[in-house]
Coordinates of all heavy atoms in Angstrom, one line a residue:
W205 N 29.7 -55.8 62.3 CA 29.4 -54.7 63.2 C 30.4 -54.6 64.3 O 31.0 -55.7 64.8 CB 28.1 -54.9 63.9 CG 26.9 -54.8 62.9 CD1 26.2 -55.8 62.3 CD2 26.3 -53.7 62.5 NE1 25.4 -55.5 61.5 CE2 25.2 -54.2 61.6 CE3 26.3 -52.3 62.9 CZ2 24.4 -53.2 61.0 CZ3 25.4 -51.3 62.2 CH2 24.5 -51.8 61.2
S206 N 30.8 -53.4 64.6 CA 31.9 -53.0 65.6 C 31.2 -52.2 66.7 O 30.6 -51.2 66.5 CB 33.1 -52.3 65.1 OG 33.6 -53.1 64.0
H207 N 31.5 -52.6 68.0 CA 30.9 -51.8 69.1 C 31.8 -50.4 69.1 O 32.8 -50.5 69.0 CB 31.2 -52.6 70.4 CG 30.8 -51.9 71.8 ND1 31.5 -51.2 72.6 CD2 29.5 -51.8 72.2 CE1 30.8 -50.8 73.5 NE2 29.6 -51.1 73.3
F208 N 30.9 -49.4 69.3 CA 31.5 -48.0 69.1 C 31.6 -47.3 70.4 O 30.5 -47.3 71.2 CB 30.7 -47.2 68.1 CG 31.1 -45.8 67.9 CD1 32.2 -45.5 67.1 CD2 30.6 -44.8 68.6 CE1 32.6 -44.2 66.9 CE2 30.9 -43.4 68.4 CZ 32.0 -43.3 67.6
G209 N 32.5 -46.4 70.7 CA 32.4 -45.4 71.7 C 33.1 -45.9 73.1 O 33.1 -45.0 74.0
S210 N 33.6 -47.1 73.2 CA 34.3 -47.5 74.5 C 35.4 -46.6 74.9 O 35.8 -46.4 76.1 CB 34.6 -48.9 74.5 OG 33.5 -49.7 74.5
N211 N 36.2 -46.1 73.9 CA 37.4 -45.2 74.2 C 37.0 -43.7 74.4 O 37.9 -42.9 74.5 CB 38.4 -45.4 73.0 CG 37.9 -45.0 71.8 OD1 36.6 -45.0 71.4 ND2 38.7 -44.6 70.8
I212 N 35.7 -43.4 74.4 CA 35.3 -41.9 74.4 C 35.0 -41.7 75.8 O 34.0 -42.4 76.4 CB 34.2 -41.6 73.5 CG1 34.5 -42.0 72.0 CG2 33.7 -40.1 73.7 CD1 33.4 -41.8 70.9
P213 N 35.6 -40.7 76.5 CA 35.3 -40.5 77.9 C 33.7 -40.1 78.0 O 33.2 -39.3 77.2 CB 36.1 -39.3 78.2 CG 37.2 -39.4 77.3 CD 36.7 -39.9 76.1
D214 N 33.1 -40.6 79.0 CA 31.8 -40.4 79.5 C 30.7 -40.7 78.3 O 29.7 -40.3 78.4 CB 31.6 -38.9 79.8 CG 32.4 -38.5 81.0 OD1 32.5 -39.3 82.0 OD2 33.0 -37.4 80.9
W215 N 31.2 -41.7 77.5 CA 30.1 -42.0 76.4 C 29.1 -42.9 77.1 O 27.9 -42.9 76.8 CB 31.0 -42.6 75.2 CG 30.1 -43.0 73.9 CD1 29.6 -44.3 73.8 CD2 29.6 -42.2 73.0 NE1 28.9 -44.2 72.6 CE2 28.9 -43.0 72.1 CE3 29.7 -40.8 72.7 CZ2 28.2 -42.5 71.0 CZ3 29.1 -40.3 71.5 CH2 28.3 -41.2 70.7
Y216 N 29.7 -44.0 77.7 CA 28.9 -45.0 78.3 C 28.8 -45.0 79.8 O 29.6 -44.2 80.3 CB 29.4 -46.4 78.0 CG 29.0 -46.8 76.4 CD1 30.2 -47.0 75.6 CD2 27.8 -47.0 76.0 CE1 29.9 -47.3 74.3 CE2 27.6 -47.3 74.7 CZ 28.7 -47.6 73.8 OH 28.3 -47.8 72.5
D217 N 28.0 -45.7 80.5 CA 27.8 -45.7 81.9 C 28.6 -46.8 82.6 O 29.1 -46.5 83.7 CB 26.2 -45.9 82.2 CG 25.5 -44.7 81.7 OD1 25.9 -43.5 81.9 OD2 24.4 -44.9 81.1
S218 N 28.6 -48.0 82.2 CA 29.2 -49.0 82.9 C 29.7 -50.2 82.0 O 29.1 -50.3 80.9 CB 28.2 -49.6 84.0 OG 27.1 -50.2 83.3
M219 N 30.6 -50.9 82.7 CA 31.2 -52.2 82.0 C 30.3 -53.3 82.3 O 29.9 -53.3 83.5 CB 32.6 -52.4 82.4 CG 33.2 -53.7 81.8 SD 33.6 -53.5 79.9 CE 34.9 -52.4 80.0
H220 N 29.9 -54.2 81.4 CA 28.9 -55.4 81.6 C 29.8 -56.6 81.6 O 30.3 -57.0 80.6 CB 28.0 -55.3 80.6 CG 26.9 -54.4 80.8 ND1 25.6 -54.7 80.5 CD2 26.9 -53.2 81.4 CE1 24.8 -53.7 80.9 NE2 25.6 -52.8 81.2
Y221 N 29.9 -57.1 82.8 CA 30.7 -58.4 83.0 C 29.8 -59.5 83.7 O 30.2 -60.7 83.9 CB 31.8 -58.3 83.9 CG 33.1 -57.7 83.4 CD1 33.6 -56.5 83.8 CD2 33.8 -58.1 82.2 CE1 34.7 -55.9 83.4 CE2 34.8 -57.5 81.5 CZ 35.4 -56.4 82.2 OH 36.4 -55.7 81.6
N222 N 28.5 -59.1 83.9 CA 27.6 -60.0 84.8 C 27.1 -61.3 83.9 O 26.9 -62.3 84.4 CB 26.6 -59.3 85.5 CG 27.2 -58.4 86.5 OD1 28.2 -58.7 87.0 ND2 26.5 -57.2 86.6
N223 N 26.7 -61.0 82.7 CA 26.0 -61.9 81.9 C 26.8 -62.3 80.5 O 26.8 -61.4 79.7 CB 24.5 -61.5 81.7 CG 23.7 -62.4 80.8 OD1 24.1 -63.5 80.5 ND2 22.4 -62.0 80.9
S224 N 27.2 -63.4 80.6 CA 28.1 -63.9 79.2 C 27.1 -63.9 78.0 O 27.6 -64.1 76.9 CB 28.8 -65.1 79.5 OG 27.7 -66.3 79.8
L225 N 25.9 -64.0 78.2 CA 24.9 -64.1 77.1 C 24.5 -62.7 76.4 O 23.9 -62.6 75.5 CB 23.6 -64.7 77.6 CG 23.8 -66.3 78.0 CD1 22.4 -66.8 78.4 CD2 24.4 -67.1 76.9
S226 N 24.9 -61.6 77.2 CA 24.8 -60.3 76.7 C 25.5 -59.9 75.6 O 26.7 -60.2 75.5 CB 24.9 -59.2 77.8 OG 24.8 -58.0 77.5
P227 N 24.9 -59.1 74.7 CA 25.7 -58.6 73.6 C 26.7 -57.6 74.0 O 27.6 -57.2 73.2 CB 24.7 -58.0 72.5 CG 23.5 -57.6 73.5 CD 23.4 -58.7 74.6
F228 N 26.6 -57.1 75.3 CA 27.5 -56.1 75.8 C 28.5 -56.8 76.8 O 29.2 -56.0 77.5 CB 26.9 -55.0 76.5 CG 25.7 -54.4 75.8 CD1 24.4 -54.5 76.1 CD2 26.1 -53.6 74.7 CE1 23.5 -53.9 75.2 CE2 25.2 -53.0 73.8 CZ 23.8 -53.1 74.0
Y229 N 28.6 -58.1 76.9 CA 29.5 -58.9 77.8 C 30.9 -58.4 77.4 O 31.3 -58.6 76.3 CB 29.3 -60.3 77.7 CG 30.2 -61.1 78.6 CD1 30.0 -61.0 79.9 CD2 31.2 -61.9 78.2 CE1 30.8 -61.8 80.9 CE2 32.0 -62.6 79.0 CZ 31.6 -62.6 80.4 OH 32.6 -63.2 81.3

């Protein structure tokens, strides 16, 4: 699986750096 949409303007709300256990880290 590949994370989709990070390069699309206004697709997501925020970058997740707080929790290394998150799938969105």
Side-chain angles (χ1 to χ4, degrees):
W205 294 90
S206 299
H207 185 257
F208 178 83
S210 291
N211 61 335
I212 301 175
D214 298 323
W215 182 263
Y216 288 114
D217 295 313
S218 66
M219 179 70 73
H220 282 216
Y221 283 126
N222 296 326
N223 186 352
S224 62
L225 299 179
S226 169
F228 304 115
Y229 182 68

